[in-house]
Structures are given as C-alpha cells and as structure tokens.
Amino acid sequence: MRHTQTYDILKYMGLFSMKPKDKSYVGFDIGQSGIKFVELLNEKGRARLVTYAYSDLPDTTIDRVFDEDAEKVATHVKEMFKQAKITTRVAVAALPISSVFSSIISVPSANEKDIKSLIEAQAKKLIPVPLEEITLDTKTIDQGKPDAAGLKTTRVLMTGAPKVLVNKYIAFMKKCGLELLSLETETFALVRALIGKDRS
C-alpha cells in the first residue's frame, strides 16, 4: 500500500551513524507483535511518506528473529519490500526502550576532551554493565549554565545500548539487504514525532 504525506525531518538520536548516500530512508521497527517499516523521502528538508508496510510474526519471537529464524525472517522482509515497492536500502532501525539506557547528566564545563572523560566517569556510575560492553552516544543539551553553587556546567543526554544487541541489528539488516544508517530509540522517536521542532 502506498501513501504520501509531508512531515518535518528531525534529527535522530543515533547510537552510531554514517554519512547518508540516498535522499530516502527506511524506518524499520522489529517488535514482539511484528515488523513495521516506512520509506521517507527527503524533499528540501521535509520528509514525504512514500510507502509503508506491516507484518505479524506469529511463529517467532524477537530473540529468534536475530538467531535461528534470522534467514527466514530476512527473506520475508525482502518480500515485504518488494510488495511495498521500497526504492531505497538505507535504513534507520528502532531499538526497544527496555534494552537502552538513557539519562541526562550534568558535568563541569570544560574542553571537549575533558568533558568526554567526565561523561565516561558518570556513565560508569550509572550504567550497570561495563562500558566496554556498551555503545555509548552523547548529545550536548546546553553548556555554560551555572549550577546551584555558581559553577558552570554542561548538560548532556547520554544513551547506551549493549554492543551485543547493536551487532545483532547490524547483522540482521545485512541479511535483509539493508545499509544501516543509524540505530534509534523508540522513545526519542516518539517524542520528536509529537513535539516537532520545539527543542525546549
């Protein structure tokens, strides 16, 4: 089924990202109830919904999608793409919020190198697994604002996901014939869809 509609393009919170090669992208979501995807075309900074599809996965689970059922599900995804007439193979996939750690932290304002060290020190205290096992992404919210003691601080949005999970998504997307541009968290995607460009 094909459909067209226009939305504002918003930057995503990516756990890793690469330079996009195409003007259209596939938003991909794998959940307990099934697989959903949309194709969005970038037209002068705005996104036009080109096509979308949904399919139940009654005979498998989210864990099996990435393991013993990966080949079967990937073949099913390719058929979905064919029927929905998807024109791109560049994808952004959604991670389940239950698998992702997110927190807003404040660190003393400093140069970029020192701030990175301060963020990592905070992350070690907050994330209950070794940082070596985590793909960590940070975004500066604001900087130079004084705290209660009058010291200048930088607020940072910190997001992390297990490397094992990230690697499973990368491997599965390859089986589907997709180039994974970024991994996104479901919550951040939903928030941006609701608030638009209101950065507050």
Side-chain angles (χ1 to χ4, degrees):
M1 184 174 184
R2 295 177 70 85
H3 182 68
T4 59
Q5 191 169 344
T6 302
Y7 300 92
D8 286 329
I9 277 191
L10 302 168
K11 292 182 179 179
Y12 48 78
M13 177 73 177
L15 293 176
F16 68 92
S17 62
M18 294 171 284
K19 187 177 180 180
K21 299 176 182 177
D22 289 343
K23 290 185 178 181
S24 65
Y25 314 90
V26 173
F28 203 104
D29 179 56
I30 307 169
Q32 295 289 354
S33 59
I35 292 177
K36 302 180 285 287
F37 62 78
V38 296
E39 180 180 3
L40 298 175
L41 177 65
N42 186 349
E43 291 185 340
K44 298 180 180 180
R46 292 177 64 82
R48 177 167 60 83
L49 180 59
V50 178
T51 186
Y52 58 89
Y54 170 82
S55 177
D56 290 319
L57 293 175
D59 300 323
T60 189
T61 64
I62 188 67
D63 292 328
R64 288 174 57 184
V65 165
F66 295 116
D67 294 313
E68 60 260 40
D69 289 347
E71 293 290 348
K72 179 178 71 175
V73 177
T75 298
H76 180 64
V77 168
K78 290 177 182 178
E79 182 59 30
M80 290 173 66
F81 271 49
K82 183 178 178 181
Q83 291 187 21
K85 298 181 180 179
I86 292 288
T87 63
T88 183
R89 291 297 180 267
V90 180
V92 176
L95 288 173
I97 190 60
S98 59
S99 302
V100 180
F101 175 88
S102 297
S103 181
I104 294 176
I105 62 172
S106 293
V107 297
S109 293
N111 60 52
E112 187 175 338
K113 182 179 179 181
D114 290 340
I115 283 183
K116 182 179 179 182
S117 298
L118 291 168
I119 291 172
E120 289 179 354
Q122 288 260 33
K124 288 179 181 178
K125 297 176 184 178
L126 296 172
I127 299 177
V129 296
L131 285 189
E132 295 76 20
E133 299 176 13
I134 294 291
T135 298
L136 192 66
D137 182 77
T138 59
K139 291 286 186 294
T140 299
I141 299 173
D142 53 46
Q143 54 187 348
K145 289 191 174 183
D147 61 10
L151 300 174
K152 290 185 177 181
T153 61
T154 296
R155 286 199 309 157
V156 177
L157 174 61
M158 179 175 63
T159 305
K163 288 182 179 179
V164 170
L165 179 64
V166 170
N167 290 333
K168 285 183 177 181
Y169 269 82
I170 293 172
F172 179 73
M173 291 297 159
K174 285 182 178 178
K175 290 181 185 295
C176 295
L178 297 172
E179 175 189 346
L180 188 57
L181 178 69
S182 177
L183 285 171
E184 168 74 292
T185 60
E186 293 175 353
T187 302
F188 292 142
L190 179 60
V191 167
R192 281 195 301 279
L194 294 173
I195 67 173
K197 292 185 177 181
D198 182 0
R199 295 181 60 85
S200 62

